[in-house]
Amino acid sequence: MAGTLTVQNIEGPSSGANANKIIVPSGQTLDASEGFVAPAGSVIQTEYSVLADNYSTSSYGTAFSAPISINYTPKFASSKLLLQTTGELYKDNLGQAGDSYSAWRYSLDGDVVGGPYANSDDSGYGIYVNNEGIRLIVPIAWTRVIDSYAGTKTIKINLKGVQNYHLYKGAMLSVQEIAQ
């Protein structure tokens, strides 16, 4: 038997063991895929990418894209994106005179998020070494919230680094879409 039930509100009983609940019986599903509105703060979807091999650069003063990226299609234009990175960053300042840094930014479709790459910019995500002859291995855990982007078109999210850096196998980039 097929049919349509049209109502404005569905309410569960106001008292008893199942007070204020609407129960879908076992073996049944409720399909709201064509009109579901997620509560604000809910995770809509998550995607991630894991670095398969160690990655290094040996140039200074140039921005590089690490081989960690996600082609992500948001479901809703009003959502926020939560970007997270975890892993180990290795910084080698041996044999260099003076200060050195490795700075990291996220990029969305090639546009850097979090500031420009400039030798004078040691802010943002990264490490700054102000002594010659130091070698560091630093665990990283970075988070950034993107408040607006280009609606629901697919965007390429990338991790970018500058200066001489090494990122170890197993580093992860993840994106979560958060309902607003």
Side-chain angles (χ1 to χ4, degrees):
M1 177 174 162
T4 302
L5 173 64
T6 303
V7 298
Q8 186 164 345
N9 295 309
I10 300 175
E11 294 180 1
S14 60
S15 62
N18 294 316
N20 302 315
K21 291 183 184 178
I22 298 171
I23 300 171
V24 177
S26 176
Q28 301 292 307
T29 60
L30 180 62
D31 182 357
S33 60
E34 297 300 317
F36 176 72
V37 177
S42 298
V43 175
I44 304 298
Q45 61 179 335
T46 301
E47 292 187 28
Y48 66 93
S49 179
V50 177
L51 185 63
D53 294 304
N54 293 340
Y55 182 73
S56 297
T57 68
S58 58
S59 297
Y60 292 87
T62 305
F64 295 91
S65 292
I68 289 182
S69 65
I70 296 172
N71 289 319
Y72 188 79
T73 305
K75 292 199 181 288
F76 304 104
S78 61
S79 299
K80 291 186 179 187
L81 300 180
L82 175 64
L83 308 180
Q84 296 178 306
T85 301
T86 58
E88 288 185 332
L89 180 67
Y90 169 71
K91 178 64 182 149
D92 189 347
N93 198 33
L94 295 175
Q96 294 181 36
D99 300 347
S100 175
Y101 74 99
S102 288
W104 289 82
R105 306 290 189 272
Y106 294 106
S107 71
L108 298 165
D109 283 339
D111 294 329
V112 173
V113 177
Y117 292 100
N119 287 337
S120 61
D121 180 15
D122 61 3
S123 63
Y125 312 109
I127 56 177
Y128 187 79
V129 180
N130 63 1
N131 294 310
E132 183 178 350
I134 288 183
R135 180 175 284 161
L136 296 172
I137 298 175
V138 179
I140 56 173
W142 301 319
T143 300
R144 182 157 186 103
V145 175
I146 306 300
D147 292 320
S148 63
Y149 47 91
T152 57
K153 77 173 188 81
T154 300
I155 54 178
K156 183 171 187 170
I157 301 169
N158 210 24
L159 184 63
K160 290 188 157 237
V162 67
Q163 294 285 6
N164 180 24
Y165 67 86
H166 313 275
L167 193 60
Y168 282 112
K169 175 181 177 179
M172 184 177 78
L173 168 64
S174 70
V175 59
Q176 290 185 316
E177 183 175 352
I178 310 295
Q180 296 307 297

